[in-house]
Amino acid sequence: MSVTDENLAELFEQYKDEVRETIETLDNELVNLEQDPSNSETIFSLFRHMHSLKGSSKMFNVDNIATIAHRLEDLMSMIDKNNAILGKHPKVVDLLFKGNDIFRDIISRLEEDISYTSMTGDHMAFVAEIQAQVDKINRRDSQLVDAARKLLEDLENLLPGMEEMETEALKKDIADVTTGLALATLEEDGANQIRFNYNGADLTESVRTMEDLLAKFKEGKAGPEDSKAFVDAANGLYSLLAEVATEDAMGLIAELGDGLSLFAERQLEMDQMMTEFFGAMLADLKQKFQVEVEAPAAKSSRSSKGSAALKEPQVKTIRVDEAKIDLFLESVGRLITKSEILNHLQFSFRKAGVDISLLRDFSTVSRTISNDIVNLQRSIMEVRQVEMNNILKKFPRLVRDISHKIGKEAEMSIAGERVPIDKSLLDDVEQAMVHIVRNAVDHGLESPDERIAAGKPRRGTVSINVTQEEAAIFIEVSDDGRGLDLEKIKAKAVERGVIAPEQQVSMSDKEAEMLVFSSGLSTKDKATDLSGRGVGMDVVMTNLKKWNGEVTVDNRPGRGLTVGMRLPITNTLLTKEAIMLRVGASTFCLPLECVNEIVTVPRSDVHHHKEGAVFRHRDMVISVIDLKSLLGLGEGVGRRPAPGGGDGSLGGVFDQGGGTLVFIILRGKTDTRQSILADEILGQQKIVIKEFELETFRKLPYFNGLTLLGDGRVVLILDSDKLIES
């Protein structure tokens, strides 16, 4: 079967989509496997996905993926039969990660070159690497079997006539085999897991240093400073042994001391002869030491909240051009506007005295059409939306790779995978989150030693929590690291010309926290491929502004940092209930969700306070936002008129006349207790929110879009949050 066959083009696109989904799933499952190598369910799932990947790739003759998946499937089969292999060979997981990265690269290349399906030299080298690991596992397992058989033979020989002497010999055999088994299963870097003890004294550091330096001397790569370091390590070993030595080792220890004394007195060099002498001495001494093997650092078996790959239900999908969905939504939006025309006609018919039974039928049909259109719009908007898991499932792998690269230990905690988001926002949101998470690991989390010294767990945590707020989503990225050093940030900002020197002194902590989003500002002295160029957090702010989003920072020095992002849940048309209000000669919309209460207040109960107006309501003091002044619509409510009174309009709040005023108490993110004055409440209706398309309108400070009324008028929609902030 050829992927170039025209009839198979669509099927091949589906195949590539399935491979991409499998790659993302494998990433998450491999992260989970690394944290909990004993999880049989994860191992079986990995084996199953690898098998499926091999089968589908063979079907489309994508030989490179099929071959590599087949070899990795063999490796997974061994692990599936004995998951203890992962504890003995931790580099197996690295090999699986590398294979998944190769799959990702192949799929990416297939987008540009459909013939990129054959094994390359790099692919064959990787297959050889897999085979070498398989051989290593088999070879070491064979050694373990031989050692176990020898122990059983000794037991069989000793058990019939076991006495005290034989018991001691048996104990020695068991100790030797136990150590041998552990040493036989170490990886190449497993020397770091071996510890040397003698009568309670830990000799590990001195022995390791001497072995490392002896290797440099033999290779001819050592310098003068290495000779001094070697002698210091040898003297340290001699001092430790001299304190605890028993009779069986006294001769060797004395010989080591004599050698060191001779070396110092005659100012000898570490030539080949001396290297061989000290090498032989160390080898003899090691025969006397008790060898232990450290268990690898315990992997956290706690499943990060939501970090495991979600068990997705099997659903059937079809591929639809996004532009077609947008056009359909536009049409639905126009239908909603037309349904509001029906409501307008209904009001006109009532005023004209149309027969009540006919009006009732018209009202029923109008309401049914309106509800059906809204349901239609909601359904098509859900087609445009995807779950946040499409982004979030990539971050456990990202955190794993970054922490390994810079020598830190970190785990990922995720919540809110099911929260929906418009597909058009995905790329920008993902890019912003990547920069925040990367900074959290690279800048925020301390090294394991620093964390232990600070009384923290050696493994840091990066958390992502996504929640839905009305028509917006709130994303929080937190870490339990060191937090922001605000003084250092302000000093760097002055150095880079971001702020003036005098601002550094007067700047509040909140203002200093927001400096991290400035372009070109980084607290790193040297740039790396991860950070240090001062562009990452600037991208976050740029992407959020593009979608009318907001960012918050919660700095906890010594305890961590939280960066919050608030974004609209969709970038397409939204339908909301809104109240219509008149301010001066202008009409505005205010979404009903932004309204806490509408109250009528006697004019005499409104008082002047700090260049503004306030009134008391339900034992609370409510301040009045000067909407007319903010929007340039005439005399503001907060200005006390000149002697002689106002112009007689409702804007003259402090006129001596009686009457009442209508205030809309706004609902903000917090209990704001702020209101705006409306000259008239015109009613409530369903509106379609349309974002501003022209950049000029996007700069309007107190509006978040526009809508078209049933009578054809275009009306601006007030943004309560921005009004409150004013």
Side-chain angles (χ1 to χ4, degrees):
M1 184 178 292
S2 172
V3 297
T4 57
D5 188 333
E6 195 172 313
N7 296 325
L8 296 175
E10 186 175 350
L11 286 175
F12 188 60
E13 289 300 317
Q14 291 180 12
Y15 158 76
K16 289 190 291 185
D17 288 342
E18 289 173 3
V19 173
R20 291 188 190 96
E21 291 175 7
T22 300
I23 289 169
E24 299 295 342
T25 301
L26 288 173
D27 267 345
N28 278 336
E29 291 186 335
L30 286 171
V31 171
N32 294 333
L33 183 66
E34 191 170 47
Q35 293 180 350
D36 184 7
S38 63
N39 192 320
S40 299
E41 184 179 345
T42 301
I43 292 170
F44 177 73
S45 180
L46 281 165
F47 176 70
R48 180 170 51 82
H49 280 104
M50 209 67 72
H51 180 76
S52 298
L53 189 59
K54 178 191 72 174
S56 60
S57 299
K58 279 185 175 181
M59 182 183 301
F60 287 96
N61 291 336
V62 185
D63 294 335
N64 41 21
I65 292 183
T67 302
I68 294 171
H70 178 62
R71 300 306 296 133
L72 288 174
E73 183 188 11
D74 290 343
L75 188 59
M76 286 306 306
S77 178
M78 297 177 69
I79 298 169
D80 189 37
K81 293 174 182 175
N82 178 16
N83 59 15
I85 288 173
L86 287 171
K88 304 168 188 174
H89 304 272
K91 285 190 176 179
V92 167
V93 178
D94 291 330
L95 208 58
L96 293 167
F97 271 119
K98 185 176 179 180
N100 209 32
D101 288 337
I102 291 174
F103 296 149
R104 185 179 284 109
D105 177 67
I106 292 171
I107 287 294
S108 176
R109 289 172 181 251
L110 279 172
E111 290 296 330
E112 300 174 359
D113 181 7
I114 201 171
S115 65
Y116 189 74
T117 58
S118 301
M119 293 287 287
T120 66
D122 289 341
H123 297 161
M124 289 186 283
F126 180 64
V127 168
E129 196 175 345
I130 298 171
Q131 187 58 49
Q133 182 65 62
V134 170
D135 292 342
K136 187 181 297 182
I137 293 171
N138 288 332
R139 184 173 63 253
R140 289 179 178 171
D141 284 350
S142 175
Q143 291 173 346
L144 298 182
V145 171
D146 291 343
R149 186 180 294 113
K150 173 66 167 59
L151 177 59
L152 288 173
E153 290 175 357
D154 289 344
L155 285 171
E156 287 177 354
N157 293 333
L158 291 172
L159 284 174
M162 186 179 294
E163 296 193 8
E164 186 175 352
M165 184 178 298
E166 284 81 5
T167 303
E168 291 302 315
L170 181 58
K171 288 180 179 179
K172 185 177 184 305
D173 264 350
I174 292 173
D176 289 345
V177 170
T178 302
T179 301
L181 289 175
L183 292 175
T185 56
L186 291 177
E187 287 291 320
E188 286 82 353
D189 60 352
N192 293 330
Q193 295 171 232
I194 302 174
R195 301 203 69 82
F196 300 95
N197 292 278
Y198 184 74
N199 283 352
D202 188 349
L203 314 173
T204 308
E205 186 176 348
S206 297
V207 172
R208 285 181 185 170
T209 302
M210 290 176 68
E211 287 181 330
D212 291 344
L213 291 172
L214 282 170
K216 290 180 71 175
F217 292 133
K218 290 177 181 177
E219 295 171 2
K221 297 179 180 179
E225 69 281 359
D226 292 319
S227 296
K228 182 180 183 307
F230 179 83
V231 172
D232 290 344
N235 277 317
L237 179 64
Y238 173 76
S239 299
L240 285 170
L241 289 172
E243 293 178 6
V244 296
T246 55
E247 187 175 349
D248 65 324
M250 287 297 294
L252 281 173
I253 295 171
E255 191 175 347
L256 174 63
D258 292 342
L260 286 170
S261 299
L262 184 66
F263 186 86
E265 290 170 1
R266 301 192 180 182
Q267 298 182 341
L268 300 175
E269 299 292 333
M270 282 297 295
D271 53 18
Q272 183 178 353
M273 186 174 71
M274 293 306 300
T275 299
E276 290 178 357
F277 168 75
F278 282 116
M281 283 295 311
L282 185 59
D284 290 341
L285 285 168
K286 283 168 66 177
Q287 297 296 320
K288 303 291 184 182
F289 300 160
Q290 179 184 357
V291 181
E292 297 176 351
V293 179
E294 281 185 323
K299 300 286 185 182
S300 173
S301 60
R302 293 176 296 156
S303 296
S304 301
K305 187 179 180 182
S307 65
L310 295 171
K311 303 298 182 184
E312 299 286 355
Q314 293 295 317
V315 294
K316 294 182 179 180
T317 61
I318 58 172
R319 297 170 65 88
V320 181
D321 190 340
E322 247 182 88
K324 292 181 180 179
I325 297 177
D326 290 340
L327 285 173
F328 190 70
L329 266 175
E330 291 283 351
S331 300
V332 173
R334 286 193 292 272
L335 283 174
I336 293 173
T337 303
K338 296 296 188 294
S339 72
E340 288 302 320
I341 294 177
L342 292 178
N343 292 334
H344 182 72
L345 288 173
Q346 179 183 332
F347 178 73
S348 300
F349 292 161
R350 184 179 291 111
K351 288 179 65 176
V354 173
D355 181 74
I356 189 66
S357 61
L358 184 60
L359 185 62
R360 188 185 303 114
D361 292 342
F362 182 88
S363 175
T364 301
V365 172
S366 174
R367 186 166 54 252
T368 302
I369 291 174
S370 177
N371 290 337
D372 288 346
I373 292 173
V374 170
N375 290 333
L376 178 62
Q377 187 208 26
R378 186 179 295 114
S379 297
I380 197 66
M381 284 178 63
E382 288 176 358
V383 171
R384 278 193 57 91
Q385 292 176 352
V386 295
E387 293 180 348
M388 277 295 296
N389 188 48
N390 283 269
I391 298 174
L392 300 179
K393 63 185 179 182
K394 302 176 183 179
F395 284 95
R397 171 72 191 271
L398 177 67
V399 169
R400 182 259 180 197
D401 287 350
I402 294 174
S403 58
H404 279 220
K405 186 171 187 177
I406 60 179
K408 294 183 179 179
E409 294 183 17
E411 62 185 4
M412 188 91 239
S413 173
I414 294 175
E417 302 93 330
R418 301 296 188 188
V419 173
I421 184 173
D422 194 292
K423 192 175 181 181
S424 64
L425 303 177
L426 275 184
D427 289 342
D428 286 331
V429 172
E430 180 181 353
Q431 190 180 29
M433 290 179 66
V434 165
H435 287 294
I436 296 173
V437 170
R438 183 181 291 156
N439 270 29
V441 180
D442 192 20
H443 290 280
L445 297 183
E446 309 92 335
S447 67
D449 291 343
E450 289 174 322
R451 291 182 64 83
I452 291 172
K456 299 180 180 181
R458 67 180 289 115
R459 183 186 294 271
T461 300
V462 178
S463 304
I464 298 177
N465 184 40
V466 186
T467 53
Q468 186 171 345
E469 302 176 346
E470 296 290 345
I473 59 172
F474 191 66
I475 304 170
E476 284 187 328
V477 181
S478 305
D479 66 72
D480 62 348
R482 57 173 63 91
L484 296 176
D485 185 340
L486 297 183
E487 292 305 317
K488 185 175 182 180
I489 290 172
K490 288 190 281 188
K492 281 286 185 180
V494 172
E495 179 185 323
R496 300 291 173 88
V498 177
I499 60 173
E502 55 270 19
Q503 289 179 272
Q504 182 178 0
V505 179
S506 60
M507 182 173 282
S508 68
D509 285 351
K510 284 297 178 186
E511 291 172 325
E513 289 169 1
M514 298 306 290
L515 285 174
V516 298
F517 299 101
S518 303
S519 178
L521 181 64
S522 175
T523 55
K524 273 204 167 184
D525 298 321
K526 185 177 180 181
T528 67
D529 57 349
L530 281 178
S531 61
R533 294 174 175 82
V535 295
M537 299 303 277
D538 177 43
V539 170
V540 174
M541 185 62 76
T542 301
N543 287 3
L544 288 178
K545 285 182 177 178
K546 178 179 176 182
W547 301 113
N548 295 321
E550 301 170 354
V551 64
T552 60
V553 178
D554 177 20
N555 183 40
R556 305 177 301 279
R559 295 183 293 114
L561 178 72
T562 298
V563 178
M565 297 183 289
R566 187 175 182 272
L567 285 150
I569 205 167
T570 181
N571 189 40
T572 52
L573 295 171
L574 284 174
T575 304
K576 291 186 178 180
E577 290 291 334
I579 62 168
M580 312 299 297
L581 62 142
R582 180 176 64 81
V583 179
S586 301
T587 301
F588 301 102
C589 284
L590 183 64
L592 200 59
E593 65 193 34
C594 304
V595 177
N596 196 41
E597 192 175 357
I598 299 176
V599 297
T600 302
V601 180
R603 189 186 298 271
S604 58
D605 288 353
V606 183
H607 305 286
H608 183 273
H609 178 69
K610 293 183 180 179
E611 298 300 322
V614 297
F615 62 89
R616 182 174 291 278
H617 176 69
R618 301 183 191 278
D619 295 325
M620 296 185 298
V621 175
I622 309 295
S623 61
V624 182
I625 297 170
D626 195 350
L627 193 58
K628 287 192 175 181
S629 292
L630 284 175
L631 304 181
L633 301 176
E635 184 181 355
V637 300
R639 293 188 178 88
R640 184 183 294 278
D647 58 7
S649 70
L650 290 176
V653 174
F654 300 115
D655 287 350
Q656 296 303 313
T660 58
L661 301 173
V662 177
F663 292 97
I664 302 171
I665 301 176
L666 300 176
R667 177 183 292 127
K669 298 173 186 174
T670 57
D671 184 12
T672 57
R673 300 181 184 180
Q674 297 193 60
S675 67
I676 56 176
L677 173 66
D679 290 344
E680 184 181 1
I681 302 297
L682 301 175
Q684 177 179 330
Q685 73 173 63
K686 194 179 272 78
I687 63 169
V688 177
I689 299 177
K690 179 67 176 174
E691 288 193 349
F692 297 121
E693 294 183 0
L694 296 177
E695 186 63 31
T696 303
F697 288 106
R698 289 181 182 177
K699 294 179 181 178
L700 291 174
Y702 305 113
F703 305 98
N704 63 3
L706 53 85
T707 190
L708 184 66
L709 300 184
D711 58 7
R713 286 182 295 159
V714 175
V715 176
L716 294 172
I717 302 168
L718 293 168
D719 187 327
S720 67
D721 288 335
K722 291 178 182 176
L723 286 172
I724 290 169
E725 290 171 3
S726 68

